[in-house]
Amino acid sequence: MSIKTIQSALISVFYKDNLDTIVKLLHAQGVTIYSTGGTLKFIREMGISAVAVETLTGFPEILDGRVKTLHPIVFGGILARRDNTNDQAQLSEHKIPMIDLVIVDLYPFEETVKSTNYEAEIIEKIDIGGISLIRATAKNYNDTLIVSDRNQYQELITLLENKKGSTSLEDRRVFAAKAFMTSSHYDTQIFNYFNQSQQLPVYKSSILNSKQLRYGENPHQTGTFYGDLNEVFEILNGKELSYNNLVDVEAALQLVAEFSDPTFAIIKHTNACGLATRHSISEAYTAAFACDTISAFGGVLTSNRAIDKATATEMNSLFFELVAAPDFDEDALEILKQKKNRIIVKVKKEIKNSMLYKTLLNGVLAQQSDWSTETRKDFKVVTNVAPTEQELTDLEFAIKAVKHLKSNGIAIVKNQQILGMGCGQTSRVDALEFAIKKANTFGFDTTGAVIASEAFFPFPDCVAIANTAGIKAIAQPGGSIKDQDSIDAANLNGQAMVLTGIRHFKH
């Protein structure tokens, strides 16, 4: 009894692409078709007979089409249980025909929100009848088949062609699951639209697109990306993006987005191991690579300018996983494509999410994204000596760099180039000492450099260590009860210190 034959269908859709094939198949299989409005007109113009829903119900469409299918005759025909004698008796009493198949889609609410701010137009795209038909038909999947999205048309066509109008219980259950996916996503979009102004403390998210990744963070873990990568990236070359590629490329793009002048970044495990700003992108790459020529191996590279031939030529000798940029010159692409697995990503649009979410314990953590970046106008000079103009420029650079390092983080900068960085350390002293060691390892002279810390100095020890390394300008947020101890130490050493007032912890 799980096999059901489609004898009647209700079709009421907004999008009619490829609907004609379905209508022809149903007609050829002798299915009675009920329809409304523009869909009814579309079917009849094909020369195929269809019954108007208002003829079925004896009640016309009203309120400019707001009410079309909301009627007991329609929903009775859908919800009636075929094996329930009481349901069947009531259908007979009220002369209600059974409806075996419902093909319906929803008004494009999500698309309308993206295209206009005119609330009256948005509200009119909240579907009432369609969502009710979807839920009713999906609920009665034991007997009825629901097609709730135009993306399911081909599946229905295959079903009609292969099974000649018959469906199994499993067929109907699969379509029902997709229907509830459609309805829940639709309702989530509506709620989130209204909640922009209300800010009810509820977490609701729904993303229909997904991409299976090769694996997760490690090969023994599965991984999936939920979203539409094609909206953001155009993959020009290379293997499939991995979980780690995506994590690193987001970190890289967020970092270079901080800069307006030509800037190149090299990322390893979300931290910058190379970062520099120069007059040209090729010069920026050379300076960024010089920061740490060892860690750059296998890294993710990105720039805020198009990659030209000169830059590609320099990069080509390095093994790296991925390069992302707003564009690539043709001759640069020819060079970079010499390695078939090298992933080349053209960035189509900048994404700045207002909120960040993270699953944690038995719930979800949410916070505003950290888009604050302090500049010299935010600096409060707290020492006897003020930073020079060059030091101010480097301090601004260092703050942009350190806010993207894992805490505890320190960035040593000179002439808009990272000389050394310490990140993910359990103490700020360790972070600074590691940054100095990095700078020395790659032959940099830290004399005259500056440092930025993403959080305050609890003790003056970092000031003393920086002074020993010849660092004469410091930026930190301040906020420690012992701020004055660090300020006094800087004054004793003749160092300049500015407080920014903003902490940038990153975990």
Side-chain angles (χ1 to χ4, degrees):
M1 294 298 292
S2 69
I3 301 298
K4 305 288 183 180
T5 300
I6 298 170
Q7 297 180 357
S8 59
L10 170 60
I11 308 176
S12 180
V13 296
F14 187 86
Y15 296 106
K16 298 168 183 68
D17 307 346
N18 301 319
L19 182 64
D20 53 344
T21 303
I22 294 172
V23 172
K24 288 174 183 176
L25 282 168
L26 292 173
H27 178 67
Q29 292 170 3
V31 175
T32 301
I33 298 175
Y34 302 99
S35 193
T36 64
T39 309
L40 178 65
K41 181 174 181 286
F42 175 84
I43 294 170
R44 286 177 173 173
E45 286 178 350
M46 291 174 58
I48 292 175
S49 175
V51 179
V53 165
E54 60 189 66
T55 301
L56 174 66
T57 62
F59 202 92
E61 294 182 12
I62 60 172
L63 307 181
D64 296 325
R66 278 189 163 197
V67 180
K68 291 185 254 189
T69 57
L70 295 167
H71 196 282
I73 288 180
V74 173
F75 282 86
I78 293 169
L79 285 165
R81 291 157 290 190
R82 276 45 169 177
D83 59 355
N84 186 297
T85 55
N86 187 48
D87 285 6
Q88 294 304 307
Q90 290 184 59
L91 291 187
S92 297
E93 178 185 353
H94 297 290
K95 298 182 175 56
I96 298 175
M98 290 186 290
I99 298 174
D100 306 312
L101 166 67
V102 173
I103 304 173
V104 63
D105 58 14
L106 301 171
Y107 292 156
F109 177 84
E110 194 172 358
E111 294 88 340
T112 305
V113 169
K114 291 178 180 178
S115 65
T116 182
N117 293 320
Y118 185 45
E119 184 157 277
E121 184 177 346
I122 292 170
I123 297 305
E124 281 307 305
K125 289 300 186 291
I126 298 177
D127 205 308
I128 304 301
I131 204 81
S132 302
L133 288 169
I134 287 171
R135 292 178 65 86
T137 313
K139 176 179 179 177
N140 201 28
Y141 73 89
N142 274 319
D143 299 305
T144 57
L145 180 69
I146 176 65
V147 176
S148 57
D149 190 280
R150 56 180 165 166
N151 294 324
Q152 299 164 19
Y153 283 3
Q154 188 54 52
E155 293 176 74
L156 176 62
I157 289 169
T158 302
L159 199 63
L160 293 172
E161 288 177 338
N162 293 346
K163 296 191 175 181
K164 309 303 180 187
S166 294
T167 63
S168 68
L169 180 62
E170 183 58 27
D171 292 331
R172 298 189 298 275
R173 189 179 180 90
V174 168
F175 276 91
K178 292 179 179 179
F180 285 119
M181 177 182 71
T182 297
S183 64
S184 64
H185 177 78
Y186 196 76
D187 285 339
T188 297
Q189 304 312 307
I190 295 170
F191 168 77
N192 286 336
Y193 171 75
F194 279 95
N195 203 40
Q196 292 176 107
S197 56
Q198 302 301 317
Q199 292 297 303
L200 298 173
V202 177
Y203 174 73
K204 284 185 178 290
S205 181
S206 178
I207 301 173
L208 294 179
N209 294 315
S210 66
K211 179 179 178 61
Q212 193 70 33
L213 304 175
R214 297 200 305 271
Y215 49 81
E217 199 161 10
N218 300 291
H220 66 279
Q221 297 169 274
T222 59
T224 305
F225 175 80
Y226 293 96
D228 184 5
L229 282 175
N230 293 325
E231 181 184 340
V232 186
F233 295 151
E234 180 182 353
I235 309 300
L236 304 178
N237 188 71
K239 57 189 177 182
E240 288 285 317
L241 288 165
S242 70
Y243 179 100
N244 293 329
N245 290 154
L246 290 171
V247 172
D248 281 342
V249 77
E250 187 203 35
L253 293 175
Q254 286 183 349
L255 175 56
V256 295
E258 298 271 6
F259 299 88
S260 56
D261 292 328
T263 300
F264 206 102
I266 303 173
I267 300 294
K268 202 71 172 287
H269 300 298
T270 74
N271 291 300
C273 60
L275 179 69
T277 294
R278 291 293 184 265
H279 294 298
S280 71
I281 206 63
S282 61
E283 292 172 321
Y285 167 74
T286 301
F289 177 63
C291 297
D292 186 340
T293 57
I294 295 175
S295 296
F297 181 86
V300 166
L301 282 56
T302 188
S303 79
N304 62 357
R305 294 290 193 280
I307 302 295
D308 56 20
K309 183 180 180 181
T311 309
T313 301
E314 289 294 318
M315 293 165 54
N316 199 42
S317 60
L318 174 69
F319 169 75
F320 57 88
E321 280 276 316
L322 181 154
V323 57
D327 209 348
F328 296 83
D329 292 350
E330 282 300 320
D331 48 6
L333 271 179
E334 287 181 17
I335 295 168
L336 295 174
K337 284 183 176 181
Q338 291 173 8
K339 306 287 175 64
K340 67 177 184 178
N341 287 330
R342 179 183 281 162
I343 304 170
I344 303 174
V345 175
K346 180 178 178 179
V347 181
K348 293 157 71 170
K349 62 186 288 190
E350 182 181 351
I351 299 294
K352 294 189 72 170
N353 293 312
S354 60
M355 296 292 293
L356 293 177
Y357 301 95
K358 182 179 181 178
T359 57
L360 190 72
L361 299 174
N362 62 340
V364 175
L365 275 176
Q367 68 167 348
Q368 289 180 322
S369 298
D370 184 4
W371 293 114
S372 175
T373 303
E374 296 71 56
T375 62
R376 63 188 69 194
K377 67 180 176 59
D378 305 301
F379 294 169
K380 179 183 178 182
V381 180
V382 291
T383 47
N384 298 332
V385 177
T388 67
E389 184 65 26
Q390 181 60 50
E391 287 171 343
L392 285 171
T393 298
D394 282 342
L395 286 171
E396 289 178 325
F397 185 100
I399 287 169
K400 292 174 182 177
V402 79
K403 70 172 280 196
H404 292 274
L405 297 175
K406 293 293 178 67
S407 299
N408 290 307
I410 293 284
I412 303 176
V413 169
K414 188 175 182 180
N415 298 325
Q416 299 185 85
Q417 176 190 27
I418 283 184
L419 303 189
M421 58 80 185
C423 55
Q425 301 299 310
T426 52
S427 81
R428 205 153 299 283
V429 167
D430 287 346
L432 177 55
E433 288 180 340
F434 185 82
I436 294 170
K437 180 182 177 182
K438 274 280 190 182
N440 293 337
T441 297
F442 294 99
F444 291 111
D445 181 4
T446 56
T447 303
V450 308
I451 64 169
S453 172
E454 99 290 5
F456 64 63
F457 293 146
F459 305 104
D461 42 14
C462 282
V463 177
I465 294 168
N467 184 61
T468 301
I471 295 164
K472 291 299 182 181
I474 300 166
Q476 55 128 333
S480 168
I481 60 173
K482 294 186 176 181
D483 273 349
Q484 194 59 48
D485 290 354
S486 293
I487 295 168
D488 291 343
N491 280 328
L492 186 65
N493 299 329
Q495 294 166 294
M497 180 182 289
V498 300
L499 303 185
T500 65
I502 300 292
R503 188 182 75 185
H504 292 288
F505 269 172
K506 188 177 176 68
H507 294 100

